[in-house]
Amino acid sequence: MARTRVVIDTDPGVDDAVAILLALASPELDVLAITTVSGNVGLEKTTLNARRIVQLAQRRDVIVAAGCAGAIAGPTHYSGDVHGADGLGDLSWDEPDVPLHGEDAVELLRELVEAGPLTIVAIGPLTNLATLLGRYPDVARLVERVVIMGGASFEGNVTPAAEFNIWADPEAAQRVFAAEWPITAMPLDLTHQATLNDDDLQFLRSLGTEVGRRTADMLEPYARFHDEWYGNRDVIMHDAMAVYELIDPSAISKQGVQVNVETGGEYSRGATWFDRRRDHAESRIRVGLDVDNSKFVALLRERLATFR
Ligand code: BDR
Ligand code: CA
């Protein structure tokens, strides 16, 4: 089986952590590096969290490199207490011995793009990718595909109009959607279909492994946040959808779209205008529509159970 060469660009983040673990447990993917960006929490924390997750997975072969510490144009925003003050639910962790790569994430991305076919899984604000395009506009033509968790067709989560990853750096998102690379976007209206419930958390604990226990512990405060905000404890697996799409592309229905990101707007900054009025089959941008959650959860359980 040909494995897809992947870099995960991320701001861990509890759901980022699950997405990273899913990717690291999936033989379809060859995860070369994890590049971090400011997002749910500041860059120092997202980078530490990425090293914690790589350590948890016992995958020191995966490079961790730090990228941009703030948005390319507007103010830098974090996601408040959604993921806890440290970004991973405020558990206690030993200092990871996974090293931090000496080079900046944007330079590393360029090298990996030039070294062979590369898919970039972008599950945080799009600042690193916009910076890559700004420094090296030609790379867009070399990238196999960019799979993004971001945007919303119908309703945002940070504001009524905007989803967090786009709202945190709308100018970057606009630049990324306008570039020449093929994009698959996983918006909120898709990701809200992908949830884990208390039985799934119990299943993770019953594995009796460090990965199972820690993942359930990270998800617990996230479940409390969902309970307060949405009225039930089911946790939404936004970022794992971008990884799932790579593992099993047929599991998520999609349509071709044209996209614009609102960078002005008194009430709508960061909104994504996906034109879904018809299937833009000619477009290089596709948007995820629907997923079968029971199939996704079965795969996630199976893959997370492979960690020893
Ligand atoms: C996105 O925002 C972050 O809080 C999550 O990690 C996810 O990437 C969902 O809007
Ligand atoms: Ca994220």
Side-chain angles (χ1 to χ4, degrees), residues 10-13 15-16 40 123-124 165 239:
T10 174
D11 62 336
D15 62 322
D16 302 72
N40 284 313
I123 55 177
N165 289 340
D239 290 341

Side-chain angles (χ1 to χ4, degrees), residues 10-17 39-40 79 82-83 122-125 149-151 156-158 162-166 186 188 191-192 222 230 236-240:
T10 174
D11 62 336
V14 174
D15 62 322
D16 302 72
N40 284 313
S79 68
V82 178
H83 300 260
I123 55 177
M149 188 283 126
N157 53 4
V158 190
E163 181 279 327
F164 177 76
N165 289 340
I166 307 298
M186 303 290 139
L188 289 182
T191 64
H192 276 240
Y222 199 47
Y230 296 107
I236 303 170
M237 293 288 94
H238 301 285
D239 290 341

Side-chain angles (χ1 to χ4, degrees), residues 178-210:
E180 278 181 59
W181 42 30
I183 291 178
T184 311
M186 303 290 139
L188 289 182
D189 27 295
L190 168 84
T191 64
H192 276 240
Q193 299 168 35
T195 56
L196 298 181
N197 60 23
D198 281 332
D199 282 350
D200 301 313
L201 268 58
Q202 186 47 42
F203 168 82
L204 290 169
R205 290 191 195 288
S206 75
L207 293 172
T209 59
E210 189 64 8

